[in-house]
Amino acid sequence: MTGNDYVTEADRTLEETYEEPMDLATYVDRIFANPTIASHASKYLLEAIEAAGTRTVVEEGEEKERYRFFDDPHNDGEHAILGNTEVLNGFVDDLRSIAAGRAKDEKIIWFEGPTATGKSELKRCLVNGLREYSKTPEGRRYTVEWNVTTAEAGEDRGLSYGNTDPTATDDKHWYESPVQAHPLSVFPEEVRERVLADLNDELDDHVPVRVDAKLDPFSREAYDFLEERYRRDGEEALFSAITDDDHLRVKNYVVDVGQGVGVLHSEDDGPPKERLVGSWMHGMLQELDSRGRKNPQAFSYDGVLSQGNGVLTIVEDAAQHADLLQKLLNVPDEQSVKLDKGIGMDVDTQMLIISNPDLEAQLNQHSDRNGMDPLKALKRRLDKHQFGYLTNLSLESELIRRELTNESAVWEAESYEELEARIREPVRVSVKDQGGETRTEEFAPHAIEAAALYAVVTRLDEENLPNGLDLVDKALIYDQGYLQEGDTRREKDEFDFNGEAHDGEHGIPVTYTRDTLAELIQTDRDRHHSELPVEDVVMPRDVLNTMAEGLADAPVFSSGERSEFENRIVPVKNYIFDRQESDVIEAIMHDKRVDEETVAEYVEQVYAWETDEPLYNDRGEEVEPDPLKMKLFEIEHLGRFSEAEYEGNLPRESVRNFRREKVITSLNRHAWEHRDDDFAVEDVDLTAIPVIKSVLESHDWDDVQRSFEDFDPRQWDDPPSGTETATVKERTIDTMVDLFDYSAASAELTSRHVMGQVSYRWD
């Protein structure tokens, strides 16, 4: 593409975003064709969220429907809010009640949570989502603009606000409402109510459109001037003259910070009135024809409510603006605020405040005074939604990767196996050293998983752990929705997590993890054996050791937290080692896997043996189940039984129970789930049977020893040439690189670590 092509594409994009201004009558016709463009603030925000659709996620072991809006889809997920789906769903439910005018109109929505839980991402996600929604046909947002120059009849009077030059004399000098006034607010109240009644009669929605606001003071100044002029001239169609398209136009605008979204940042200062609605500009008052009073045209309208009128008002880091919150007490229910004692302004905005837990401490400073608490009225109006630290391993892994790289896409998967593969993936980061040289640091497979699992484990409450489970088990149940224990899969509802858990209320924040890992790759260290070219590989044990060692010097943790977190690292190390061990074994046994055809034949044999269903050979002849084939499969591939558990080829009771409980039960479950279809054993997904899945996908050291009789893990570091150990090692490293995404260096280090532990117990 040429430069002109890009310019043309940009032109086309803007043409699709903006419309030509229209007259008031055309706008009214437009809202009857597309009612969403007339929505009041809370309804508009609700519609923007719902328009993005939903998806199914698993959090804390339960399936939940999540609004895609909070994945920041319009911005490629850059400011997605990870996790906290239940909290966000509660917010949307409350928003629906507010929009419908059901009981929560006076509420100020409050998001609270510890640092690094996604609250800042919420603000960015809301702004991004509203901006992009306002560019769509359904989400168009409209306001009014005025021109009184054609009615001035030579009088030296201008229409302006803020720093605009009041003496401008353009033939068409249009001024937009500085607070995004709703176009229907131009109508007299009784006419506006009739328009809304007719509109809502046609609207198939449980949330009716409500527009209660009167014209803003700036627009009222223009309206009054035009009304006075045309009334003085004896105009009969007075409203038509005032709203003629020479004086009034309806124009669309793109919602953004400062126009439909007001954001009060923690560093913003000034008197409460200035922060809320803006300030008077005294030089302007002297220049304008104010007729002995303050003129609304001389107001800046740069306060948070003015900017957020029409859509959303956000008070960020609300503890810094606690003095302002009491000034907002009556804004949600009265929907008005004053510029000055004599000049008021109606506002239509959804109010939302964001804070760390320190705001709650301020609000509760007088709680011991019972009914005399001066902050009681404010606390009654706050509708609290609590953000917590992530308690899902996959979400925390995703978040850490985002913090270390430029990745922004939200992880979506059809199955947990897909997520599991993402969790274990390596991460490679380019780092520039002090000499200006650039190198690539690799977080080996399972390194990010180790950091994420340790962080999650520090956030889980161990008070409600069922017997026999540790915190790693709980973390896995929360992430998967089940726990796989050998051949047995136990769903979350089989566990009794008694009591009120405080999961996610405290623990290691992602900022600590991010800073620790960033320092780990930035600092030159001889982490491993000097003879290996692996100085740029960060192993899972490097990550866990460094995170644990850094707790002592991190001011963010109390002494009690340091001690608690240090005690939780051992089960994480054990789990991560098991994951590395599994990779090495699977790489060793990759060429020894049982093919699916052999497994399928065994399943069919067992099914026929138990149910007396007919079994056919390749020629279509009915045959009896073969006891020898089943026996050999169970001994050689399953590794479950020995010759002693058979009488000749006939199974003893232990083998018969195994076949019924592990194979037949799974087949019966599958048949029940597919009872409306024609069930056939050959149609069964073999991986749906846990014991068969383990045959197809996992092995153990007994399998290794049985397959490679001369293999010796004690020789792994430097195996003698020509030995079976040397052959197995070469093939294993190649498989780990080709199939499991290890680098040669990380495969070498991981396999050495595993073999070093295995050699102690090798028989």
Side-chain angles (χ1 to χ4, degrees), residues 44-45 48-49 52 68-81 120-136 139 254-257 260-261 263 311-312 314 402 408:
Y44 183 80
L45 176 55
I49 294 171
R68 289 183 180 273
F69 180 92
F70 300 112
D71 294 338
D72 196 16
H74 300 295
N75 206 36
D76 296 326
E78 181 178 355
H79 297 298
I81 306 161
S120 295
E121 300 305 311
L122 172 65
K123 178 198 71 176
R124 297 184 181 98
C125 189
L126 287 168
V127 173
N128 288 341
L130 288 168
R131 182 196 305 117
E132 297 306 318
Y133 180 64
S134 70
K135 296 177 182 179
T136 66
V254 173
V255 173
D256 210 335
V257 175
V261 176
V263 179
V311 185
L312 177 67
I314 301 174
R402 292 165 74 100
S408 61

Side-chain angles (χ1 to χ4, degrees), residues 529-544:
H529 301 294
S530 58
E531 71 272 13
L532 292 173
V534 291
E535 65 275 4
D536 295 333
V537 176
V538 180
M539 297 296 291
R541 61 185 182 275
D542 297 325
V543 168
L544 292 174

Side-chain angles (χ1 to χ4, degrees), residues 198-392:
D198 292 343
L199 178 65
N200 288 320
D201 284 343
E202 296 187 12
L203 188 63
D204 184 21
D205 194 340
H206 64 285
V207 179
V209 176
R210 292 184 288 128
V211 181
D212 301 323
K214 299 176 183 177
L215 273 178
D216 64 276
F218 175 85
S219 297
R220 173 56 62 181
E221 191 78 7
Y223 187 100
D224 290 346
F225 172 79
L226 293 168
E227 182 181 24
E228 180 183 351
R229 170 52 53 89
Y230 285 114
R231 187 175 65 246
R232 193 168 60 200
D233 291 345
E235 179 66 50
E236 294 183 2
L238 190 57
F239 185 77
S240 296
I242 296 169
T243 59
D244 183 87
D245 58 7
D246 281 342
H247 302 310
L248 174 71
R249 298 191 305 204
V250 177
K251 63 169 290 187
N252 80 300
Y253 66 92
V254 173
V255 173
D256 210 335
V257 175
Q259 192 159 28
V261 176
V263 179
L264 189 63
H265 302 281
S266 58
E267 66 271 17
D268 293 338
D269 56 11
K273 183 75 69 177
E274 184 176 333
R275 283 177 282 163
L276 280 175
V277 286
S279 59
W280 292 106
M281 304 167 65
H282 299 288
M284 293 283 290
L285 284 171
Q286 295 172 3
E287 293 182 36
L288 290 169
D289 175 18
S290 300
R291 286 171 280 178
R293 60 176 175 78
K294 287 183 177 179
N295 192 322
Q297 295 168 243
F299 200 77
S300 68
Y301 297 98
D302 57 3
V304 65
L305 288 174
S306 298
Q307 294 181 357
N309 187 52
V311 185
L312 177 67
T313 295
I314 301 174
V315 178
E316 189 180 48
D317 197 5
Q320 302 296 322
H321 298 285
D323 63 322
L324 195 66
L325 297 182
Q326 293 194 69
K327 303 291 183 182
L328 295 174
L329 274 181
N330 297 321
V331 172
D333 44 357
E334 294 181 6
Q335 294 187 326
S336 66
V337 68
K338 287 188 175 182
L339 310 185
D340 203 35
K341 291 181 180 179
I343 305 175
M345 179 176 77
D346 287 351
V347 291
D348 173 32
T349 186
Q350 179 55 55
M351 296 189 58
L352 187 152
I353 68 172
I354 300 172
S355 80
N356 290 328
D358 49 355
L359 175 62
E360 186 154 25
Q362 293 186 47
L363 294 175
N364 290 330
Q365 60 182 308
H366 305 296
S367 58
D368 57 345
R369 295 170 61 176
N370 299 321
M372 302 301 292
D373 185 350
L375 298 177
K376 187 175 182 179
L378 172 59
K379 289 190 284 188
R380 182 180 66 81
R381 281 176 168 81
L382 294 176
D383 188 17
K384 183 178 176 183
H385 298 271
Q386 181 110 24
F387 265 18
Y389 289 123
L390 298 177
T391 55
N392 274 55

Side-chain angles (χ1 to χ4, degrees), residues 2 11 27 40 48 122 129 225 237 245 249 263 296 316 384 404 439 545 572 607 660 695:
T2 67
D11 286 336
Y27 170 77
H40 52 284
L122 172 65
F225 172 79
D245 58 7
R249 298 191 305 204
V263 179
E316 189 180 48
K384 183 178 176 183
L404 292 173
R439 70 180 190 277
N545 289 338
V572 176
Y607 188 71
R660 293 186 179 113
V695 174

Side-chain angles (χ1 to χ4, degrees), residues 80-97:
I81 306 161
L82 300 185
N84 285 294
T85 294
E86 195 168 334
V87 177
L88 294 170
N89 287 348
F91 161 54
V92 177
D93 289 342
D94 285 352
L95 194 59
R96 192 172 289 111
S97 296

